[in-house]
Amino acid sequence: MTKPIIIDGQLVEVEPGTTILQACEMAGVEIPRFCYHERLSIAGNCRMCLVEVEGIPKPIASCAMGVTDLPPNKDGAPRKVLTASPMVKAAREGVMEFLLINHPLDCPICDQGGECDLQDQAMAYGVGGSRYLENKRAVEEKYIGPLIKTFMNRCIHCTRCVRFMTEVAGVEELGAISRGEDMEITTYLDRGILSEMSANVNDLCPVGALTHRPWSYIARPWELEKTQSFDVMDALGSAIRVDSRGPSVLRVLPRNNDDVNEEWISDKTRFACDGLRTQRLDQPYVRDGGRLRPASWDEALGLAAQKLKAAAPDRIGFIAGDLVGAEEMFALKDLSSRLKVKSIDCRQDGAKLDPWLGRASYLFNATIAGIDKADAILLVGTNPRVEAAVLNARILKRWRQGGLKVGVIGEAVPLTYKYDYLGAGGQTLQEVADGRHSFTEVLKGAQRPLVIVGSGVAARADGAAILGTAARIAAAAVEGKDAAGWNPFNVLHTAASRVAGLDLGLVPAKGGLDVAGQLDAAARGKLDVLFLLGADEIDVPVGPTFVIYQGHHGDRGAHRADVILPGAAYTEKSATYLNTEGRVQMTERCVFPPGEAKEDWAILRALSGKVGNALPYDTLAQLRTELYKDVPAFARLDSVYAAPIDGVSALAKVTGNIGADPFVSPIKDFYLTNPIARASAVMAEMSALKKTMQGEPRLKAAE
Amino acid sequence: MAVRRLYPEQPLSFAFTPENLAWAKREIAKYPAGKEASAVIALLWRAQEQEGWTTEPAIRAIADMLGMAYIRVLEIATFYTMFQLAPVGRKAHLQVCGTTPCMLRGSEALIDMCKEHIAEHQHELSQDGDFSWEEVECLGCCANAPVVQIGKDTYEDLDPELFAKMLRDLRAGKPLKPGSQTGRQTSCPAGGPTTLLDEPKRGTEKV
């Protein structure tokens, strides 16, 4: 039942549980606030959101007062809220004055300047001057890790950071010690924070107390060009805003996207951007006498084309990497079929995901937002905390609401929420599938169960059997239930390009070789040319195979290459990515590729011309037209291109023996999973810190 | 109130004595499963009674016992001034009330004596390590001001002379009698009763 309330003369009908602040927002009235945040619990300690309610003598903190909690008027008329009355104005000025008593006037040297809530609200709601002549409070600096720079003098005690770390990141590390004016935000004995999401507190901080340490003092927000894009560090496709100045990307910030990342991003997404400036391939190279030497585009493409033309089609291999977009994979597929090459693969890790079984067999079918509805989750061989940190936060959010049971088969790692550890590997999975395990009952009893399979187990030799067994568990879990459209089978990918690659069919044709087969052929001298499109997670054996590497970083692939064709990173091209749930998202070009590097589809187009079999598109628009003809769903941007449920039943028929090895997550080091992150100094520092802290948890982190 | 920090020199470990541990377990059992954290103040207080002050290992030990994050227990230990974060005197830690009624009745003189006879600053140990003192807010015995609290007992109606005697007795290890030091019963008028002096006449009044 809705309840009416009048906000500044405007009647609003609100649902029970709505706060006055939310009702004001519905009415389009802005209420200033510092401590309130719609995705965190309500603290009500900044007092900036005070409003007047007619008939109540004192101002009310609108963030904490529910509309239904207001005592009704005697005549039953709706309550009237005033947000622009003299009392509210005086209250805001008073609160602002109190907050500024101890806030240093160091805006000119503060990194938050220009995007500071306190600065903006002091301008909008504060008074011009100060009546206080006393000294300001001085607070010792705190060390809370290499990602967060602290200026605790500036802290206004909103406790957003404390609530975020506890409620969203699930790591109870931050706290507020002491009280009153002496309250200080800190970690236990100045330990660094070990969380994959810690830097989100920098965004949440309404003042400059917590700022981004890696970017400190490099730019003012108003100097930066802001481009909306999507992240490729994991397979979630978090919405990001890329801030760039001139040729370089300076920072990456989250954007709101309720369906995927809400408004959080992982530390890797945020801080790996310094890797976009180092180790870049900015001109073509060819190997000459064992050494790579700079070459012209003409020479490099000519050499690559010559080798491709000379080799027999069954002695050529194509491998697409983890960060490439759909456009270049489409062009690569096109090129391979024109050259009659059957050995093409996009599954660098060797995942046994088979697009012929139907799309549902490799998607996160229940969607990421679907986690909010789940009441039982079985994690099979996945550690979502490192594979998709933001998704793990979503599970935690659901878990905190209560009524969610989580079971884990795989590694017993801390996941920020409590779970039932079922077992290490295939045997337990088989037990759950056969109904011999108590968790089968949990899944059966759940209205909306989820089975999440990690990409690590899919990549095992017995991956197909594991996926099949998981699909059987999923199918049995919803059998006979009235959960229309609920597909409980989910694959959690770690590579941003994987779903698009599988949708485009970048898998070996009949008689072709997959990644392992190609590498094996290369080792035995049976492969003449290997084309790596940004494939850096594999080791190509040394030998006579001629390796063409197209990519943006001088990483593993480039080290082995005989010809290097410099491409564009995800911030330098407009490319389509499908996230793990099959959501089609298109990145924007924020900056140009460095030096002579080109957009990847254009390189492939140029190469095809040199090979003498030109691809029939000269612009990105023409390529997309062809792409959309081939896969129309790719044109539906920002929507989940859902899979029919029958894919799971086809997968459920796959059987086989599951090995005794325990299930492990494919990610050994969260901070170093792709060429961009490996080139990043910040990620290297975090990786080193994590190792020392995990080895010695009581050690005070060295600054 | 000053910034409250953990003392730089901490003991290496903390463990409840067997009796205290048994007591702590009973205390935790008072709360429903999953709400063990409710016992945190009781346990911290018992640890302080055992050790004399609240040590960092004790904070960690109690956090582990209750399944709480260390920072959560640290927040509580630093929030409440009843938790002494620095070592206190072996024989006594004197909490001198400095709030208005006690101040009006001469607590400033007592504080000066503390500074002279114990240590220059609050929370500092005396040279022999036997005593320490601090100024606290109202102890709730305003009728018997000025008041000093040691442990769980208050010593009331003090003046410099009585306070000096108290310090001497403490130093000598003589037992002290809690309550009013002038001998009056609780908060009864100092010089004996002033009202209702006549004997009530029973049975004469007609109802």
Side-chain angles (χ1 to χ4, degrees):
Chain A
M1 209 192 97
T2 58
K3 188 171 172 175
I5 185 164
I6 298 171
I7 315 264
D8 288 347
Q10 195 182 334
L11 184 74
V12 195
E13 291 276 345
V14 299
E15 296 290 326
T18 311
T19 62
I20 297 181
L21 192 147
Q22 286 165 332
C24 289
E25 286 196 334
M26 283 178 212
V29 176
E30 195 191 45
I31 304 289
R33 87 288 301 265
F34 294 111
C35 72
Y36 175 79
H37 191 277
E38 56 267 28
R39 297 191 202 278
L40 302 174
S41 63
I42 293 167
N45 53 7
C46 76
R47 316 312 288 178
M48 196 60 201
C49 64
L50 293 173
V51 294
E52 184 179 355
V53 179
E54 244 181 40
I56 294 177
K58 290 195 221 172
I60 279 178
S62 61
C63 72
M65 176 61 101
V67 172
T68 37
D69 297 337
L70 281 173
N73 276 331
K74 275 187 186 137
D75 57 359
R79 280 284 189 182
K80 283 183 184 160
V81 175
L82 304 172
T83 69
S85 65
M87 186 224 258
V88 175
K89 183 171 184 292
R92 286 173 181 168
E93 284 173 358
V95 169
M96 207 67 231
E97 200 169 6
F98 273 123
L99 285 174
L100 291 173
I101 289 176
N102 274 322
H103 191 84
L105 286 174
D106 59 357
C107 301
I109 56 151
C110 175
D111 248 2
Q112 191 86 354
E115 48 186 7
C116 175
D117 286 357
L118 189 68
Q119 203 175 31
D120 296 347
Q121 293 184 26
M123 293 299 290
Y125 306 105
V127 283
S130 171
R131 288 179 286 174
Y132 290 86
L133 302 170
E134 289 79 9
N135 286 335
K136 289 183 189 255
R137 167 197 65 155
V139 185
E140 287 161 25
E141 285 318 345
K142 303 289 186 290
Y143 175 78
I144 47 181
L147 300 180
I148 304 165
K149 194 172 178 66
T150 62
F151 289 91
M152 297 322 273
N153 281 345
R154 298 176 187 152
C155 179
I156 57 166
H157 302 158
C158 70
T159 70
R160 272 187 190 180
C161 51
V162 178
R163 284 175 282 145
F164 171 83
M165 289 311 293
T166 310
E167 294 162 16
V168 181
V171 181
E172 278 195 281
E173 299 261 0
L174 273 181
I177 62 163
S178 252
R179 59 166 147 168
E181 187 190 41
D182 301 310
M183 185 167 125
E184 293 180 2
I185 304 290
T186 185
T187 54
Y188 190 74
L189 307 181
D190 270 10
R191 273 196 294 184
I193 297 177
L194 263 193
S195 165
E196 292 73 25
M197 311 256 300
S198 60
N200 286 303
V201 300
N202 301 346
D203 292 334
L204 287 173
C205 186
V207 298
L210 307 177
T211 55
H212 297 89
R213 193 186 289 270
W215 310 325
S216 51
Y217 306 129
I218 57 163
R220 282 299 193 185
W222 57 84
E223 304 172 327
L224 301 172
E225 193 165 333
K226 291 136 190 127
T227 317
Q228 302 199 339
S229 191
F230 294 94
D231 172 50
V232 299
M233 294 291 146
D234 52 33
L236 287 186
S238 304
I240 53 170
R241 191 187 92 193
V242 180
D243 287 8
S244 56
R245 187 175 56 186
S248 46
V249 171
L250 293 185
R251 48 183 210 173
V252 171
L253 296 174
R255 268 192 301 133
N256 241 325
N257 188 353
D258 283 350
D259 291 329
V260 180
N261 59 317
E262 301 192 296
E263 62 178 279
W264 321 119
I265 53 174
S266 71
D267 289 354
K268 182 164 57 181
T269 301
R270 185 183 300 258
F271 287 119
C273 65
D274 70 323
L276 291 168
R277 298 194 290 273
T278 48
Q279 291 284 92
R280 288 307 299 271
L281 300 169
D282 57 356
Q283 57 179 344
Y285 288 87
V286 296
R287 196 174 287 276
D288 210 354
R291 298 179 69 120
L292 286 168
R293 68 165 168 80
S296 67
W297 268 112
D298 231 25
E299 188 189 356
L301 284 172
L303 183 60
Q306 182 202 329
K307 293 284 178 186
L308 281 171
K309 271 197 288 190
D314 58 343
R315 293 174 73 89
I316 299 176
F318 286 92
I319 298 175
D322 291 349
L323 303 182
V324 294
E327 283 81 359
E328 46 259 34
M329 281 195 283
F330 178 71
L332 188 74
K333 176 99 195 321
D334 209 354
L335 179 64
S336 78
S337 56
R338 272 157 204 277
L339 295 175
K340 305 203 167 42
V341 173
K342 290 173 181 164
S343 306
I344 180 167
D345 206 345
C346 67
R347 301 161 301 184
Q348 267 190 99
D349 55 357
K352 304 292 179 292
L353 298 164
D354 188 351
W356 300 113
L357 290 174
R359 286 189 85 232
S361 70
Y362 57 84
L363 286 188
F364 201 98
N365 293 302
T367 73
I368 295 167
I371 291 172
D372 295 348
K373 292 186 220 138
D375 47 4
I377 298 180
L378 175 65
L379 299 171
V380 181
T382 178
N383 174 0
R385 193 168 164 189
V386 292
E387 287 170 36
V390 177
L391 182 125
N392 197 52
R394 195 111 183 186
I395 301 178
L396 171 67
K397 174 183 152 194
R398 174 65 194 85
W399 184 83
R400 286 179 63 86
Q401 290 164 359
L404 173 69
K405 276 212 135 243
V406 184
V408 170
I409 302 178
E411 294 165 286
V413 285
L415 285 180
T416 70
Y417 39 84
K418 285 200 183 110
Y419 58 81
D420 298 332
Y421 184 64
L422 310 183
Q427 202 191 340
T428 319
L429 187 72
Q430 200 63 55
E431 279 172 21
V432 177
D434 297 347
R436 284 182 283 132
H437 198 287
S438 57
F439 205 78
T440 317
E441 293 309 309
V442 174
L443 287 172
K444 285 227 168 85
Q447 278 309 304
R448 298 200 180 268
L450 283 184
V451 178
I452 302 178
V453 188
S455 60
V457 288
R460 287 161 51 121
D462 53 5
I466 297 174
L467 286 165
T469 313
R472 280 196 290 284
I473 295 174
V478 281
E479 211 172 62
K481 272 182 204 162
D482 180 31
W486 183 258
N487 188 340
F489 180 76
N490 303 286
V491 178
L492 180 57
H493 290 279
T494 48
S497 70
R498 191 73 81 245
V499 171
L502 292 168
D503 277 356
L504 290 168
L506 266 79
V507 289
K510 204 165 184 204
L513 301 169
D514 61 4
V515 169
Q518 290 179 31
L519 296 180
D520 183 53
R524 290 188 289 115
K526 296 208 165 165
L527 202 67
D528 291 340
V529 181
L530 182 58
F531 190 103
L532 303 178
L533 179 62
D536 284 294
E537 315 302 323
I538 48 173
D539 282 318
V540 181
V542 181
T545 310
F546 187 83
V547 178
I548 305 166
Y549 177 79
Q550 178 182 334
H552 41 81
H553 273 77
D555 206 68
R556 285 175 210 161
H559 291 164
R560 171 63 183 84
D562 294 296
V563 171
I564 293 176
L565 308 172
Y570 72 109
T571 50
E572 293 150 10
K573 62 187 172 195
S574 175
T576 308
Y577 291 90
L578 267 67
N579 77 351
T580 191
E581 47 176 357
R583 185 180 299 276
V584 188
Q585 303 187 120
M586 197 189 283
T587 62
E588 285 300 321
R589 181 167 64 201
C590 318
V591 292
F592 285 95
E596 293 177 37
K598 302 257 182 289
E599 287 189 32
D600 292 273
W601 76 269
I603 300 172
L604 289 164
R605 166 68 185 79
L607 180 66
S608 70
K610 292 260 180 193
V611 174
N613 208 333
L615 299 172
Y617 22 80
D618 295 329
T619 63
L620 189 56
Q622 284 173 7
L623 186 154
R624 287 203 173 123
T625 313
E626 292 295 314
L627 172 65
Y628 298 157
K629 258 190 233 162
D630 196 33
V631 197
F634 277 27
R636 289 202 289 273
L637 291 185
D638 298 324
S639 62
V640 176
Y641 155 29
I645 198 157
D646 56 354
V648 178
S649 47
L651 181 65
K653 293 196 183 82
V654 179
T655 51
N657 279 332
I658 301 176
D661 305 344
F663 296 168
V664 290
S665 169
I667 293 183
K668 298 283 162 282
D669 189 334
F670 169 74
Y671 296 103
L672 304 174
T673 53
N674 61 48
I676 301 173
R678 283 193 288 267
S680 155
V682 181
M683 290 296 105
E685 191 186 348
M686 283 309 292
S687 167
L689 178 82
K690 184 159 187 185
K691 281 189 190 112
T692 52
M693 282 186 63
Q694 280 182 335
E696 185 90 75
R698 303 232 48 77
L699 194 76
K700 184 172 170 178
E703 194 160 359
Chain B
M1 218 175 91
V3 179
R4 287 164 55 79
R5 291 281 158 75
L6 292 180
Y7 195 63
E9 288 162 33
Q10 294 283 346
L12 286 175
S13 63
F14 168 84
F16 275 120
T17 59
E19 305 85 70
N20 282 345
L21 189 63
W23 176 90
K25 284 192 177 144
R26 283 200 303 279
E27 198 66 23
I28 296 169
K30 284 181 184 171
Y31 304 98
K35 305 283 178 193
E36 291 85 1
S38 304
V40 64
I41 289 182
L43 263 61
L44 276 171
W45 186 240
R46 183 53 71 107
Q48 172 161 314
E49 283 177 344
Q50 180 182 317
E51 302 289 293
W53 57 295
T54 303
T55 64
E56 192 269 333
I59 289 173
R60 269 188 286 127
I62 289 167
D64 288 339
M65 278 174 81
L66 301 174
M68 296 171 76
Y70 296 160
I71 184 74
R72 293 282 102 86
V73 184
L74 180 69
E75 281 177 340
I76 290 158
T78 53
F79 186 90
Y80 294 107
T81 49
M82 68 198 240
F83 295 116
Q84 302 294 337
L85 299 182
V88 293
R90 273 194 300 268
K91 286 185 176 160
H93 175 71
L94 285 76
Q95 296 177 305
V96 187
C97 177
T99 310
T100 320
C102 284
M103 192 196 79
L104 292 172
R105 297 275 295 152
S107 68
E108 282 167 322
L110 306 188
I111 288 169
D112 287 343
M113 285 177 68
C114 287
K115 286 181 182 169
E116 190 185 333
H117 298 293
I118 299 175
E120 175 66 27
H121 300 109
Q122 307 185 53
H123 302 289
E124 254 176 34
L125 289 178
S126 60
Q127 275 188 344
D128 54 8
D130 283 348
F131 293 96
S132 57
W133 70 278
E134 71 176 308
E135 181 183 334
V136 294
E137 301 302 328
C138 186
L139 293 170
C141 305
C142 308
N144 294 19
V147 176
V148 171
Q149 180 173 298
I150 301 172
K152 288 176 171 172
D153 293 320
T154 49
Y155 300 88
E156 302 148 13
D157 291 331
L158 293 167
D159 57 27
E161 232 168 82
L162 287 168
F163 190 52
K165 178 172 176 297
M166 216 176 114
L167 285 177
R168 274 199 307 279
D169 289 352
L170 277 169
R171 200 157 266 146
K174 281 190 203 160
L176 293 180
K177 184 175 145 287
S180 172
Q181 300 299 300
T182 53
R184 71 164 153 159
Q185 178 84 17
T186 62
S187 316
C188 296
T194 54
T195 52
L196 303 174
L197 295 173
D198 12 317
E199 280 292 310
K201 295 166 194 157
R202 288 166 198 275
T204 52
E205 271 174 49
K206 277 186 186 155
V207 182

